Amino acid sequence: MNAVTKIEAAPSHIATVVEQTPVVVLTDKAQRESFYEHIQREVDAFEPDTSTEKGRKAIKSLAYKITRTKTAIDDAGKQLNEEARARINAVDAERRAVKERLTALANEVRRPVDEWEAAEEKRVEECRGIIDGIKAAAVVTIEDTAATVRARGGQVWNTALDADRFGDMLAEATAAKDMAVSALKSALARLTKEEADKAELERLRAEAAEREERDRVEREAREAEERRAAEAKAAEEKRLADERAAEERRIAAEKAEAERIEHAKQEAAKAAERTAREEQAKRDREHAEQLAAERRRAEEAERAAQAERDRIAAEEAERQAKAKRLADEQAAREADQAHRSAVMREAKEAIMTCGVDEETAKKIVLLIRAGEVPNVSLRF
């Protein structure tokens, strides 16, 4: 209430009052509102006069007083903020120090169990890696040979399963190893037989190729001899044919000359007859042209009508052809899809004969179809 008393007691010294009581003005809402009312009363009581130099200076002076009051309050607020910030910073520094010391102490207490958990996690991860490696080694792909399967089988067989190291994972590891050894033994027997069969097939193919090569050489020699005999025979036949052609040309020339003379006689007789015919033909042509003009008009009308009928028929045929084409395309797509499904199913079943489960076989076929398996593709 002292700040209000001062404000009411000295209404003309705004900046002085604010400089003396900045904290009250900034932190006490009631005092702040009283202070605003005091300033407003002084502004309301002021009568501005811009007609004289003195009046204009009075306006500027009052505005300057209010601005100086604003600056004083703002500076006081900054000072309050700096003091509060210094106290907050001191508290934050102490909080950080306590947090760091207690965190370090908690970490020191937890270190033995953290170290044990890290070692246990590493052990489980290593054992899991060994089990996964054994399971992966048991998978036989179409790229495997007897040698690769034998090598993996030896690695799996020689993998030691220490009970202390594997702990509760020993049963899983033992089962995975037994399954892998069994699967690789079966695959080794199958691949050994397949490779032996393949080697025998290659030998038989080589022998067949050698026989085919001998037959080819003999056949080419025989065909060359036959060609030489045929060429000699053709040359003799050509010579005789040339002689016959020369005699025929001489006889034909004599016949052509006689025919030319006879033709000249006939042409002379025909010329007179042609003149008479041309006169008659001219008369007939004029009459025919009249008839033809009438026929053309009738035919044009018929053609127009026929064109319209043809257009309607063509549109109908096109509609039917389009419907048939769409039906054929749909049937072709369905047949292609069914064929692709059948090919992929046969591929899956063939892979399953190698000891692979159906889900894995299906994934292998999908990878092959997507082109993710190098040098392997499906032929649809």
Side-chain angles (χ1 to χ4, degrees), residues 127-357:
C127 292
R128 176 56 57 192
I130 293 173
I131 294 172
D132 291 343
I134 292 173
K135 292 180 178 179
V139 177
V140 179
T141 68
I142 59 176
E143 296 181 354
D144 269 317
T145 64
T148 60
V149 170
R150 184 180 294 106
R152 287 210 306 278
Q155 293 173 357
V156 171
W157 180 258
N158 293 325
T159 300
L161 303 178
D162 184 68
D164 293 336
R165 182 182 186 187
F166 279 83
D168 57 357
M169 301 174 69
L170 181 62
E172 180 184 359
T174 302
K177 180 176 179 180
D178 292 343
M179 183 198 71
V181 169
S182 177
L184 292 172
K185 281 183 179 179
S186 299
L188 178 60
R190 177 178 57 81
L191 289 172
T192 300
K193 183 178 183 305
E194 289 177 357
E195 290 175 4
D197 293 343
K198 183 178 179 181
E200 177 63 16
L201 180 60
E202 291 296 330
R203 184 184 66 78
L204 294 175
R205 285 177 177 172
E207 291 178 355
E210 184 178 354
R211 286 195 301 273
E212 288 178 0
E213 179 64 16
R214 288 198 304 269
D215 294 343
R216 184 189 63 79
V217 172
E218 293 174 358
R219 184 175 61 256
E220 289 179 354
R222 185 172 58 255
E223 290 173 352
E225 182 61 28
E226 291 173 353
R227 280 196 301 273
R228 284 193 294 273
E231 290 171 357
K233 181 180 179 181
E236 180 61 20
E237 290 176 350
K238 182 177 183 303
R239 183 185 65 78
L240 295 174
D242 290 344
E243 291 178 355
R244 286 194 300 270
E247 180 63 18
E248 290 172 356
R249 285 195 297 272
R250 183 187 64 78
I251 295 171
E254 292 176 354
K255 182 181 179 181
E257 179 62 17
E259 290 176 350
R260 185 189 65 77
I261 294 171
E262 180 63 22
H263 180 71
K265 292 178 181 179
Q266 292 175 357
E267 287 297 320
K270 290 177 180 179
E273 184 180 355
R274 189 163 49 245
T275 300
R277 281 202 308 270
E278 287 176 353
E279 291 294 332
Q280 182 61 40
K282 180 178 180 182
R283 290 190 295 271
D284 294 342
R285 187 167 53 252
E286 291 174 351
H287 178 67
E289 287 176 353
Q290 293 176 355
L291 295 176
E294 294 177 358
R295 284 197 303 272
R296 281 196 299 274
R297 286 192 293 272
E299 290 173 354
E300 287 175 358
E302 176 60 23
R303 279 196 299 272
Q306 184 62 41
E308 179 63 17
R309 290 193 295 270
D310 293 344
R311 182 187 65 77
I312 294 173
E315 290 179 352
E316 177 61 20
E318 181 179 1
R319 184 189 65 76
Q320 294 179 1
K322 181 177 180 181
K324 183 178 183 302
R325 184 176 66 256
L326 294 175
D328 291 344
E329 290 175 355
Q330 178 63 28
R333 283 193 295 271
E334 292 175 354
D336 181 66
Q337 182 61 38
H339 172 67
R340 288 175 175 270
S341 298
V343 171
M344 293 175 67
R345 183 173 60 255
E346 291 172 359
K348 179 194 73 176
E349 292 173 354
I351 294 173
M352 289 172 63
T353 62
C354 300
V356 179
D357 61 85

Side-chain angles (χ1 to χ4, degrees), residues 116-128:
W116 180 89
E117 289 177 351
E120 180 65 10
E121 182 179 353
K122 181 179 179 182
R123 179 192 70 79
V124 171
E125 183 178 353
E126 290 174 350
C127 292
R128 176 56 57 192

